[in-house]
Amino acid sequence: MDGFAAPFNLLPDRIERSMTESGHIAPLTVLGIETSCDETAAAVVRRSADGRGEILSNVVHSQLDLHAVYGGVVPEIAARAHVDLLDVALKQAMAEAGINFGSIDGIAAAAGPGLIGGLIAGVTTAKAIALGLGKPFLAVNHLEAHALSAGLTEGLGFPYLLLLVSGGHTQLLIVKDVGAYERLGTTLDDALGEAFDKAAKLLGLGYPGGPEVERLAARGHASIKLPRPMLGRPEPHFSLAGLKTALRHEAVKRAPLNEHDIADLCASFQEAVVDVVSDRATRAMDLYEEQLGPDAQRALVVAGGVAANQRLKRALEKVAATRGFRVVVPPPALCTDNAAMIAWAGAERLARGLTDDLAAPARARWPLDADAPPALGAGVKA
Ligand code: KG4
Ligand code: ZN
């Protein structure tokens, strides 16, 4: 593959052109593509010379309707839908940004982790545009994009602690710099959003389940006793499968369920999750301080779809205050999957000369911290 890759590595030229005479990185405009799951998204982001980000456009075509009937994402349907929707999303993103392709300095695509069919669609499209324009291609780790999004929306500097909670991921990471991540904790089984989705499904609620569970929980009482898996363990890992099973037992006991039962089950489930996440995040805050010392910035960034949960956010703010941390949550549209975060991670990498050649593969699995010891008992998502 080397013979193929070498002519297309555009790094030296790019770096030369992105430096101003004073040696600073010039402003960069990056087009981003996200197709790792069930959102087909394209966005244009500008990174100024001083490292600030600006979103010029952020287009997301959700495939929710296509998958809702199955109660989860069907990979083959997702891949085909990305192929259908991507050029529409790209045209829209360029039009809304009000720029032409000549102003683009780099093309970024989520190259993993995720569903491989969708990733290939996005990565191949980005490579084709990069090749056509003679501009650098940036293979972005989707998790890295979530991890860096607080820099785009809040101007947050490094380091910070990240709680990434989505339908596919549940991780606690120290974000030290672009490309420097240390995983403190992960889930041994289900992701947090997945646990919400499965809880909703077994209670007969719609997909995605998280918002439904939160809405109904507000009407119920957390009166049903459910376990708090992993509470107090020294390593801030998660385990959510047992909680879901316990919820099923409680639901079966009460069947047929009336409205009040469902609301109480939702409230009880959500409180169990809140207790577990608060405990695990507190443990991670202590480890963060142990590692980085008392003077390191104390910010806990919560990203991923579950960050939209207001009950969880309030609980995290409470425990964070006990450790002198502030909680930073990017706006909802940038917490869930989007291409602005991909473009931003691409811009951050481009500014540091971290471009990829056209042989860079799409990767179904791609851990952010490759050095993290495998979590004992961890399933495929760790
Ligand atoms: O980040 P995201 O949009 O997609 C990925 O999975 O990457 O996250 C979607 C997940 C779903 O599992 C959804 O149920 C969950 O985030 N979610 C919520 C809430 N809103 C979305 N979970 C709990 N409470 C919410 N309000
Ligand atoms: Zn995501």
Side-chain angles (χ1 to χ4, degrees):
M1 218 51 191
D2 279 345
F4 167 76
F8 301 121
N9 191 337
L10 300 159
L11 174 60
D13 181 38
R14 174 69 253 144
I15 289 304
E16 215 171 278
R17 282 188 288 137
S18 63
M19 293 280 189
T20 61
E21 280 178 6
S22 62
H24 286 109
I25 300 289
L28 296 169
T29 304
V30 173
L31 172 64
I33 294 175
E34 159 60 36
T35 55
S36 67
C37 191
D38 61 343
E39 267 93 20
T40 310
V44 180
V45 161
R46 184 169 290 150
R47 183 188 186 279
S48 64
D50 64 1
R52 286 178 190 280
E54 186 192 351
I55 298 172
L56 303 189
S57 65
N58 188 18
V59 175
V60 180
H61 286 277
S62 170
Q63 303 175 4
L64 214 59
D65 294 351
L66 298 176
H67 303 286
V69 48
Y70 302 101
V73 179
V74 183
E76 181 62 23
I77 294 176
R80 286 166 192 242
H82 286 307
V83 172
D84 285 345
L85 293 169
L86 199 48
D87 59 341
V88 180
L90 278 164
K91 262 189 210 149
Q92 217 178 322
M94 291 301 294
E96 285 179 20
I99 58 167
N100 55 39
F101 278 104
S103 316
I104 297 286
D105 296 299
I107 299 92
L115 301 174
I116 196 68
L119 291 170
I120 289 171
V123 163
T124 308
T125 304
K127 285 177 180 174
I129 298 172
L131 187 57
L133 295 177
K135 296 288 169 72
F137 165 63
L138 302 131
V140 168
N141 182 309
H142 177 93
L143 301 177
E144 176 170 48
H146 276 300
L148 298 179
S149 58
L152 169 63
T153 61
E154 323 295 318
L156 189 69
F158 303 109
Y160 49 85
L161 181 64
L162 173 75
L163 170 66
L164 176 58
V165 276
S166 72
H169 318 292
T170 302
Q171 302 206 344
L172 278 157
L173 294 155
I174 301 179
V175 180
K176 295 176 181 168
D177 201 344
V178 173
Y181 312 100
E182 183 177 334
R183 196 196 72 191
L184 299 176
T186 184
T187 179
L188 306 189
D189 37 59
D190 292 348
L192 194 54
E194 186 182 6
F196 270 101
D197 293 337
K198 287 178 175 172
K201 195 171 182 179
L202 78 90
L203 296 175
L205 308 175
Y207 172 84
E212 283 291 283
V213 171
E214 181 175 17
R215 188 173 63 81
L216 292 172
R219 299 188 197 161
H221 300 283
S223 51
I224 299 161
K225 210 167 159 257
L226 291 171
R228 267 75 174 151
M230 310 294 275
L231 216 70
R233 297 269 185 101
E235 284 190 316
H237 292 317
F238 298 80
S239 170
L240 297 152
L243 176 57
K244 174 193 66 195
T245 307
L247 181 74
R248 175 175 289 119
H249 285 313
E250 294 298 333
V252 167
K253 259 199 245 169
R254 288 166 177 75
L257 300 175
N258 63 33
E259 240 178 73
H260 293 294
D261 293 327
I262 293 178
D264 287 350
L265 285 161
C266 286
S268 304
F269 174 81
Q270 185 170 264
E271 284 314 297
V273 164
V274 161
D275 285 350
V276 167
V277 177
S278 301
D279 176 75
R280 309 290 62 209
T282 305
R283 181 68 195 126
M285 286 185 267
D286 290 342
L287 290 172
Y288 179 94
E289 197 196 328
E290 265 172 40
Q291 275 208 31
L292 301 186
D295 298 332
Q297 163 171 258
R298 294 188 192 200
L300 169 64
V301 176
V302 190
V306 186
N309 189 295
Q310 294 302 306
R311 171 73 191 101
L312 181 63
K313 186 185 170 200
R314 283 198 307 275
L316 285 170
E317 280 168 347
K318 214 166 151 191
V319 291
T322 69
R323 297 299 192 272
F325 274 64
R326 68 191 168 106
V327 173
V328 177
V329 185
L334 290 145
C335 268
T336 54
D337 287 351
N338 66 86
M341 70 177 189
I342 304 296
W344 175 246
E348 285 282 75
R349 296 182 68 80
L350 183 55
R352 290 161 176 81
L354 301 169
T355 61
D356 295 277
D357 67 45
L358 294 186
R363 303 166 64 175
R365 296 199 66 186
W366 186 1
L368 253 195
D369 177 0
D371 298 332
L376 207 62
V380 287
K381 294 182 186 66

